Amino acid sequence: MSRTRRIARVGLDVVLALLFGAISLSEVHSSPFGLLPAAAGPYVSIAVALTLVFRRYRPLPVLAAGVLGEVLVGSVAPLLLAVFTVADRCGNRRRTWFGAAAALIAVAIPWGQGTTVPLFLTRTALLAVVLAVPLLLGLWTSQRAETIAALRERAEQAERERDLRATAAVEAERLRIAGELHDIVAHRISQITVLAGALEVSADGKPAEIAGTIRTTGSRALTEMRELLGILREPADAVAQGNSVAQGNSAALGNSAAHGNAAAQRDSAERVPLRPAPDLGSIPELVAEAVAAGQTVDLTMPIELPEVAGPVGRAAYRIVQEALTNAAKHAAGAEVRAALTVVDGVLDVDVRNGRGDHTPLAAEGSGFGLLGMRKRVELAGGSLHSGPLAGGGYVVHATFPLHAVDE
């Protein structure tokens, strides 16, 4: 609670104490009830009124003081505020109802005038209605405060959950981007490494051809990275441009900026030509690139490719790509056999290589390639097995249902 709000509350309590103290002073002068003489009435009423300043912090003791004031000098006004305060601070609890019952009994008894049944019943009925007003009002304010607090807590909880979901989404997207960058960079760099090794031992006439292939492979790697980075930059650019438009002061300027944004987005699209996501149909091109880079790859796949869900096609492509990358790093010069078959509604992807030479990149592997493959396969609803072959070499085998759940 802010300091200003605390001062305001203290000021309100002082004003209410003075107001109810004044009412109490007027009341004791005309009230015939009370155990003490009339001369003590002003002093007791002032003392009881002073306790009202602390009603927010000690509601039950203040209520007890109000009951005592009514019993001693017949002062009812401070008791009404004390009942309201107990109901407001304590809510619908036993202490509230016990306090209200004690206050009703205290005001119903005609102290100092002799107790008669008719008078007691009359005062009980009348003062029960009087006390019910501050009691119900206090219960209502207490319930309202609890409801507001619950709604505020619910809103804060929803905001926290939203932040957690946003953080989780950002983390998932970060991992996805890391996987895409790994697939692009590792594959292309492996091809460049193989070509560079071939360049070292090439015969006459070959260096220029191999160097050209290296240049083409590097250019493709840069293009693919630009595509991915262009996709990442596009939303941020759009937001920044949208903010610039929002700061304009006229509709004409806003329209001009909007046309400029559209043109900028078209230019960005022209600068970063996007290609379709890789799928089963892209695997022959992938193998052709690996062969051009110097690998020996034998690909077997159906003439008519089956229709598969997007995640399955991308996962199959990335499995072949990662397997070729690993073979280039860990088994340079070995033959790689890749086979895609469809049996009983299941797509099998099998890539295996024989023994080969380790390249310098083999010792620098991050270990994330197989982990990324396994995650892709699981997300597509399939299963993955990988490991060394008995006669040397390595195998990566994945199976997918043809009709996996779409994204």
Side-chain angles (χ1 to χ4, degrees), residues 12-344:
L12 177 60
D13 289 340
V14 171
V15 170
L16 289 176
L18 293 175
L19 176 61
F20 279 85
I23 297 174
S24 179
L25 280 174
S26 174
E27 190 178 17
V28 296
H29 284 301
S30 60
S31 175
F33 305 104
L35 299 178
L36 296 180
Y43 302 103
V44 174
S45 61
I46 291 174
V48 173
L50 289 176
T51 64
L52 294 176
V53 177
F54 309 100
R55 63 188 183 89
R56 296 182 188 272
Y57 314 101
R58 296 291 186 269
L60 291 177
V62 171
L63 177 62
V67 170
L68 185 62
E70 203 285 328
V71 172
L72 296 178
V73 296
S75 175
V76 179
L79 184 60
L80 299 179
L81 182 58
V83 169
F84 165 81
T85 303
V86 170
D88 177 64
R89 307 298 291 181
C90 300
N92 187 16
R93 294 179 176 84
R94 289 183 179 181
R95 65 182 69 178
T96 300
W97 295 105
F98 285 157
L104 178 60
I105 293 173
V107 298
I109 298 175
W111 302 98
Q113 299 298 316
T115 303
T116 60
V117 174
L119 181 59
F120 177 78
L121 294 178
T122 300
R123 286 177 60 83
T124 300
L126 177 62
L127 294 174
V129 175
V130 174
L131 287 176
V133 174
L135 176 65
L136 296 178
L137 182 60
L139 291 175
W140 177 78
T141 56
S142 175
Q143 184 63 38
R144 180 175 177 272
E146 291 179 0
T147 302
I148 292 176
L151 291 176
R152 185 179 293 110
E153 175 62 25
R154 187 177 302 173
E156 293 174 355
Q157 178 68 22
E159 186 174 356
R160 288 193 294 269
E161 292 177 356
R162 182 198 64 192
D163 292 341
L164 289 175
R165 287 195 297 269
T167 302
V170 170
E171 180 66 14
E173 186 65 9
R174 185 184 69 82
L175 294 176
R176 187 190 69 81
I177 294 171
E180 293 292 337
L181 287 173
H182 173 274
D183 292 337
I184 292 172
V185 175
H187 180 68
R188 297 301 182 187
I189 295 298
S190 298
Q191 290 181 340
I192 292 174
T193 303
V194 172
L195 290 169
L199 186 61
E200 293 178 346
V201 297
S202 63
D204 294 340
K206 289 292 184 179
E209 179 182 348
I210 296 175
T213 306
I214 291 176
R215 182 183 61 80
T216 302
T217 303
S219 177
R220 285 177 179 173
L222 289 175
T223 301
E224 291 173 355
M225 288 185 64
R226 274 199 205 98
E227 291 176 2
L228 182 58
L229 295 177
I231 294 172
L232 296 177
R233 289 193 186 102
E234 193 68 31
D237 293 342
V239 171
Q241 293 163 354
N243 291 338
S244 298
V245 173
Q247 293 174 355
N249 294 325
S250 66
L253 289 176
N255 292 335
S256 299
H259 290 302
N261 292 343
Q265 291 175 4
R266 287 195 299 271
D267 293 342
S268 176
E270 292 173 358
R271 289 194 304 270
V272 186
L274 302 181
R275 298 181 302 176
D279 55 10
L280 296 181
S282 306
I283 293 178
E285 180 183 356
L286 175 67
V287 171
E289 292 175 357
V291 172
Q295 287 185 272
T296 303
V297 185
D298 179 22
L299 174 64
T300 302
M301 58 189 306
I303 298 177
E304 184 176 352
L305 295 176
E307 293 185 3
V308 297
V312 173
R314 287 193 294 274
Y317 178 92
R318 294 303 186 192
I319 285 173
V320 176
Q321 184 184 55
E322 182 64 25
L324 291 176
T325 299
N326 289 339
K329 291 193 298 185
H330 300 279
E335 182 181 8
V336 182
R337 295 182 179 274
L340 276 72
T341 57
V342 178
V343 180
D344 297 332

